[in-house]
């Protein structure tokens, strides 16, 4: 059996850099930027009033004048072109937050330090320094500066920056078309009547949500009975169709109806590996289909049938591969574990964890890979390499999150 | 000025418990469950074959027989009703992963420990214990057990559990209808030509994304110039309309066109507080509108105009209030900070942070609340209470995330 690192290297060999597409800024959250985002102007684009009050020329006020009573010449509102202070010794312009600083002024004295009677303002407290309460042009960023690097995953916090520089549409990496076939004659849909020997299919929800949490929304699924001909025709259709990635769950092991590997082989999918020295997720299958008509290879992942194994393999191999192909910039995360982790077997252990209240990862002791309750409580999983048997509470391990929000 | 804690108490007084609605399981990610989710059957619902191989009666095989060669009577596939082992001394039934255990059997011997020739199987390695490779009925959960508590925020990891217990629709807490008015004559839309004294509006993207990241999708916005009559007519329409929460950005301070507080007062909105002893976000306004025709109060939040202040106030007061009103179960998060935090003024400091590679929070030193670059780099913010002047690197502080995914 190969190791997880070998599996990753084999998958990498079949990756190609994804193309890109223009999408509306509204739909861009979580997507990977395909070009450096460069400012088209300074930020702020002008010396911007940061407090409501009066704008004055600080130097003149201090050096050439002892006056603390000034005439208000005008009002400068936000959204107006900059006005000009005429009398910089005895005059001032009232200014509103967000406005341009009037020409000839450099400092704002806020209302709380002023008394205004009619058109005359008395300064009660002089500002401490020149430039006070002014958000100077270009202090956030300069024109022609790289604001977000190609590869950035667009977050709530940086989507506003894209708006600031006029990106009503954004050039992002394409999202693969993903097809999920859930195999198993015991499976019925959630809205159907379930008999005592049947199980309701849940992969489409769990795997679908994990994909969507990583902005992979281009996803279809089908539940297919263990019928060799039926399965073959669906797989063939998918391989010749528009999908970039075919995911299958179940039927990759040694059972009499585990048709997936042989069907894939007969349809020309080249097996690259089958089984990894890890728990859970050992039966993972990976193959590549290259249709001569297409330039792009199609990746085929045969995920194990049980929920935790399938979710771990999806996160660890499929999503990581897509992010690499999208050239996404993101650091590999590690996390401090709470609870001891022991695993003596020469396999890499992926262990479910949940966030503790102080942002560490509580080890979830699962009764087995079919334990949907443990999966349900988890926020992701940590990786204990095969050559390490023990990781005590407080140590750091590589962490994969399901991509869910955290409060 | 009131403190953040006082502000929270005042907001709480106007909260009412939200109603609930049935939505499709597909659309339920991130929503708050409105009822305890109770299993309708055991999980697994039957003794489930966990490995491909043969099913035997362990006790008989050990106690009454020395035979290691058995006749294969039948095959039990997944999705079939349980068959019955006829000869429990000399017989076995081949079983496939996911199938029901045949009646009269209790242990599975996997293919790797067997040699099969025609209809005869030779056991090479006897199983160590009774029940091996069987996922016993009810070991994940029992029938009529509470699987997810009312108040759970539906995650990728637990959505599959809802499918398992047949929830094709889920009863979730209603999501408030939110209206956002972005005020400012300097603002233009991202797809419009911007002049040198103008700024492109970005609140709808930043605040909209933070709302969506918390599954608050019921959200509309409008950019409104600083025109008193125009602003009044939009606010009046919103107050008399269907919105539950009205958010405004800008125009809540002391400027000559900061019409919001007076317009709200004239339309019957009761001011509950205006200004909080915090940085950023000091000018926050909160008021309540109770229309006699409606039972429900409308909350009105006047957020400060600058991006970081508005985002902090949205996350800290608006979203927290909604989650309380939805009776969401979630722990208050704290996080370990990387970098020292000093703040001597008697104000609560909300400081932007970004996730480090080991899941701590790197302190972002911002040049000011208008600094969109600092905001863009952040994953959330930490809270340094007013009575604490210093929090050294390595200490833990209360943490608010923007709700973005983490890899």
């Amino acid at each position: 059996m190969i190791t997880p690192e070998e599996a990753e290297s084999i998958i990498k060999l079949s990756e190609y850099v994804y193309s890109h597409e223009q999408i509306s800024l509204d739909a861009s959250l979580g997507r990977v930027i395909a070009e450096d985002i460069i400012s088209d102007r300074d930020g702020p684009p002008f010396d911007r009033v940061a407090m409501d009050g009066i704008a004055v020329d600080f130097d003149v006020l201090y050096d050439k004048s002892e006056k603390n009573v000034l005439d208000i010449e005008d009002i400068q509102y936000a959204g107006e072109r900059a006005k000009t202070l005429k009398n910089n010794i005895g005059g001032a312009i009232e200014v509103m937050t967000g406005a341009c600083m009037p020409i000839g002024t450099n400092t704002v004295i806020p209302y709380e330090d002023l008394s205004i009677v009619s058109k005359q303002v008395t300064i009660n407290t002089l500002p401490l320094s020149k430039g006070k309460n002014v958000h100077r042009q270009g202090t956030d960023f300069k024109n022609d500066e790289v604001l977000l690097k190609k590869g950035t995953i667009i977050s709530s916090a940086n989507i506003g920056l894209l708006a600031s520089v006029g990106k009503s549409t954004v050039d992002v990496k394409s999202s693969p078309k993903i097809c999920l076939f859930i195999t198993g004659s015991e499976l019925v849909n959630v809205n159907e009547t379930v008999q005592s020997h049947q199980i309701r299919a849940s992969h489409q929800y769990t795997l679908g949500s994990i994909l969507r949490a990583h902005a992979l929304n281009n996803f279809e699924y089908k539940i297919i009975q263990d019928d060799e001909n039926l399965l073959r025709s669906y797989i063939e259709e998918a391989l010749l169709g528009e999908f970039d990635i075919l995911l299958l769950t179940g039927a990759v092991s040694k059972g009499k109806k585990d048709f997936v590997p042989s069907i894939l082989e007969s349809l020309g999918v080249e097996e690259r590996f089958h089984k990894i020295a890890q728990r859970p997720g050992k039966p993972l299958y990976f193959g590549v289909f290259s249709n001569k008509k297409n330039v792009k290879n199609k990746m085929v992942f045969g995920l194990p049938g049980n929920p935790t194994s399938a979710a771990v393999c999806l996160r660890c191999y499929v999503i990581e591969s897509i992010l690499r192909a999208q050239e996404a910039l993101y650091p590999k995360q590690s996390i401090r574990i709470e609870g001891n982790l022991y695993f003596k077997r020469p396999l890499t252990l992926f262990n479910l964890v949940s966030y503790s209240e102080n942002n560490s990862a509580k080890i979830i002791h699962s009764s087995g890979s079919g334990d949907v309750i443990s999966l349900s409580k988890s926020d992701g999983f940590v990786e204990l390499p095969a050559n390490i048997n023990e990781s005590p509470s407080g140590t750091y391990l590589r962490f994969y999150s399901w991509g869910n929000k955290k409060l």
Side-chain angles (χ1 to χ4, degrees), chain A:
Chain A
M1 270 191 296
I2 61 168
T3 65
E5 296 69 36
E6 287 164 343
E8 187 180 291
S9 302
I10 293 168
I11 295 170
K12 271 185 188 169
L13 294 176
S14 306
E15 287 167 5
Y16 50 87
V17 174
Y18 282 8
S19 184
H20 54 107
E21 57 181 337
Q22 285 283 332
I23 58 167
S24 114
L25 183 56
D26 266 329
S28 70
L29 195 68
R31 297 293 294 270
V32 177
I33 299 176
E35 58 177 1
D36 284 346
I37 300 296
I38 294 168
S39 50
D40 67 337
R41 58 202 306 228
D42 287 346
F46 47 80
D47 287 347
R48 192 179 156 277
V49 175
M51 294 279 275
D52 306 313
I54 59 166
V56 296
D57 181 340
F58 181 87
D59 300 324
V60 173
L61 200 67
Y62 267 70
D63 297 349
K64 305 208 173 137
S65 150
E66 301 257 311
K67 285 185 78 165
N68 67 348
V69 179
L70 303 174
D71 295 323
I72 296 175
E73 292 181 5
D74 206 340
I75 303 182
Q76 176 85 52
Y77 290 110
E80 293 179 337
R81 291 187 181 282
K83 295 176 177 177
T84 302
L85 179 66
K86 287 166 196 148
N87 173 9
N88 66 353
I89 299 178
I93 292 182
E94 252 185 290
V95 289
M96 303 303 136
T97 304
C100 302
M101 283 293 283
I103 296 160
T105 69
N106 52 39
T107 304
V108 171
I109 309 175
Y111 280 133
E112 45 259 50
D113 297 335
L114 305 172
S115 310
I116 297 182
V117 178
S118 180
K119 288 281 188 185
Q120 279 210 325
V121 55
T122 306
I123 302 167
N124 304 317
T125 313
L126 277 167
L128 290 173
S129 58
K130 184 174 171 176
K132 264 291 188 194
N133 306 315
V134 179
H135 190 187
R136 287 290 306 248
Q137 178 173 344
T139 47
D140 283 355
F141 53 83
K142 302 286 181 203
N143 186 18
D144 221 22
E145 192 176 317
V146 175
L147 299 183
L148 295 171
K149 280 192 193 149
K150 179 182 167 181
T152 299
I153 299 172
I154 299 174
S155 73
S156 296
N158 57 36
I159 196 168
L161 191 54
L162 292 166
S164 302
V165 297
K167 294 280 171 190
S168 57
T169 62
V170 198
D171 193 30
V172 296
K173 288 289 180 174
S174 300
S175 202
K177 288 190 184 63
I178 300 172
C179 177
L180 169 65
F181 289 156
I182 300 166
T183 73
S185 293
E186 74 276 30
L187 301 176
V188 298
N189 228 315
V190 64
N191 52 4
E192 290 171 326
T193 305
V194 66
Q195 297 186 61
S196 63
H197 58 287
Q198 295 176 323
I199 304 254
R200 296 180 184 109
S202 64
H203 283 315
Q204 67 274 36
Y205 297 103
T206 307
L207 305 182
S209 300
I210 295 171
L211 288 169
R212 278 195 290 268
H214 293 89
L216 300 165
N217 300 310
N218 213 337
F219 153 74
E220 286 177 26
Y221 77 91
K222 192 166 235 353
I223 298 169
I224 305 172
Q225 303 295 296
D226 294 322
D227 176 297
E228 190 166 5
N229 290 328
L230 191 68
L231 196 51
R232 182 191 309 276
S233 71
Y234 277 121
I235 292 177
E236 186 166 19
E237 191 186 331
L239 290 174
L240 299 176
E242 294 229 309
F243 296 105
D244 299 298
I245 297 174
L246 175 60
L247 304 178
L248 298 117
T249 64
V252 290
S253 201
K254 293 187 176 167
K256 285 233 173 331
K257 292 200 173 177
D258 288 351
F259 304 123
V260 165
S262 64
I263 291 174
L264 290 172
E265 193 184 351
S266 73
L267 291 172
V269 176
E270 284 177 34
E271 179 184 309
R272 296 291 162 87
F273 64 76
H274 190 184
K275 293 190 177 20
I276 303 183
Q278 67 176 48
R279 176 179 291 175
K282 195 175 85 173
L284 182 68
Y285 166 100
F286 173 64
V288 175
F289 180 72
S290 73
N291 181 350
K292 276 154 204 163
K293 292 178 213 155
N294 286 329
V295 182
K296 296 196 288 185
N297 290 335
K298 285 183 180 175
M299 289 186 168
V300 182
F301 291 90
L303 306 172
N306 77 59
T308 302
S309 309
V312 164
C313 289
L314 177 78
R315 179 63 192 80
C316 209
Y317 299 105
V318 184
I319 290 178
E320 288 293 306
S321 170
I322 295 169
L323 289 169
R324 276 195 301 268
Q326 292 181 326
E327 299 181 309
L329 298 173
Y330 65 99
K332 286 190 199 295
Q333 285 276 340
S334 67
I335 200 164
R336 186 176 178 280
I337 60 167
E338 278 182 21
N340 301 311
L341 205 53
Y342 297 99
F343 191 62
K344 296 251 157 98
R345 302 190 53 180
L347 301 170
T348 294
L349 176 70
F350 293 111
N351 201 98
L352 295 175
V353 296
S354 63
Y355 292 124
S356 73
E357 291 188 17
N358 65 7
N359 245 50
S360 296
K362 271 189 281 198
I363 297 296
I364 295 175
H365 295 288
S366 168
S367 64
S369 56
D371 185 343
V372 290
I373 295 292
S374 299
L375 176 61
S376 168
K377 288 176 182 161
S378 70
D379 293 301
F381 54 95
V382 291
E383 178 176 348
L384 185 71
N387 61 342
I388 301 177
N389 290 332
E390 187 180 344
S391 190
S393 191
T395 52
Y396 285 79
L397 289 177
R398 171 91 159 96
F399 171 60
Y400 298 84
S401 124
W402 299 132
N404 274 99
K405 76 190 173 67
K406 246 183 62 189
L407 294 164

